[in-house]
Amino acid sequence: MDEKNRIETLNDIKIFTGNSNRALVERVCDYLSIPLGNATVGRFPDGEIDVKVDEDVRGADIFIIQPTCPPVNDSLAELLILIDCFKRASSARITAVLPYYGYARKDRKDEGRVPITAKLVANLITKAGADRLLTMDLHAAQIQGFFDIPVDHLLAFPVISDYFRENDLSDFVVVSPDVGGIKIARLYSNHLHMRLAVVDKRRMGPEEIEVGFVIGDVEGRNAIIIDDLIATGGSICQAARVLKEKGAKDIYVAATHPVLCGVAVEKLKEAPIKKIAVTDTIPLSKDAKGLGSRIKVLTVSNLLGEAIKRIHTNTSISSMFTEQ
Ligand code: R5P
């Protein structure tokens, strides 16, 4: 059935989730003023995932919101099993909503005998039966091309830029912590009328970062480092230190996905960072809450809810960002 006819046969919009970020999903449901769908996503005694959908979903437009955040393999397996379940229950259309797309950093063969896990995950989601993907701030936008189903790629940019707009930004500079992040940093720079700087970062291993020079003038300015995620905290903390060495004043960080694994929180506590703004694509760990008022969680629930509404009603999503 082509996309147009399929839309016409859709009945209800229904939202479901597994266990990876229920609080976010409840906020999305609040935005849409619809109840969260009834499903039990539990475990068999041997640890296998047990799913049962407890309401009729035949002919429904299903959105499964499940960031594949830590515990990443559990989150991914729950998502795949939920998709399979709705496909077999004769739902009209299934959209996998991954506010955070895990395994995204393994997106190419950069040495011999390594997998391209971001592509494998795309294959698994598609093969399980998803008709569309809705995601946010992918580590690399090209991952959209790993899917042969429609992908809507949202940016947390409107939420994060609104937060920083509350400050007088006249002496601020926006900093990309590596060359890969220049495009998104430029978006902030253009939108909030700030200068742009870039840190020369090289990754030597999963936890080993080497930071060289800074391109752009940061001396005597406050800096906002923009990144898609904080994992071990190595990139952000090294970037903050080098900016301080170059004479930056206060340093702020904005990162969409607070993965915050290992000793990330300890590193962030010691780094010369005044404030860290993250979003609720991933629940904040208990450890991270120890950062107190230095960490600010912004919600992307309205953005996700609006995008879901627009997918359901077949209206433009890109205009959510161009209308800014
Ligand atoms: C790198 O390209 C990403 O944008 C992040 O900067 C990086 O993945 C963060 O990882 P970590 O916090 O472990 O340095």
Side-chain angles (χ1 to χ4, degrees), residues 161-231:
S161 58
D162 276 356
Y163 172 68
F164 281 106
R165 211 194 303 273
E166 289 167 10
N167 298 287
D168 170 13
L169 297 174
S170 52
D171 69 343
F172 273 68
V173 56
V174 59
V175 180
S176 172
D178 52 41
V179 285
I182 292 180
K183 196 170 169 207
I184 189 80
R186 190 180 295 125
L187 184 67
Y188 283 87
S189 147
N190 290 342
H191 200 70
L192 297 175
H193 311 291
M194 294 183 287
R195 288 167 189 242
L196 180 62
V198 184
V199 173
D200 167 47
K201 174 187 104 176
R202 263 156 281 168
R203 185 173 282 286
M204 322 304 283
E207 296 200 34
E208 215 184 319
I209 303 291
E210 205 175 88
V211 163
F213 49 89
V214 176
I215 307 165
D217 190 10
V218 297
E219 192 173 352
R221 297 178 189 280
N222 296 307
I224 306 177
I225 309 172
I226 305 283
D227 212 344
D228 59 327
L229 64 92
I230 308 175

Side-chain angles (χ1 to χ4, degrees), residues 55-125:
E55 61 184 272
D56 181 26
V57 291
R58 187 174 289 272
D61 190 9
I62 301 293
F63 291 83
I64 306 168
I65 308 178
Q66 172 90 336
T68 49
C69 54
V72 56
N73 298 327
D74 281 1
S75 300
L76 179 60
E78 285 184 1
L79 171 70
L80 297 173
I81 294 167
L82 278 162
I83 295 171
D84 182 75
C85 180
F86 287 108
K87 188 176 152 196
R88 293 174 195 283
S90 304
S91 302
R93 183 173 68 172
I94 301 166
T95 303
V97 184
L98 278 73
Y100 169 66
Y101 187 103
Y103 281 120
R105 283 177 291 171
K106 211 69 200 153
D107 63 352
R108 65 192 176 281
K109 266 188 90 169
D110 48 6
E111 57 179 317
R113 302 184 298 281
V114 294
I116 305 181
T117 323
K119 169 64 177 160
L120 172 65
V121 168
N123 287 346
L124 290 170
I125 291 172

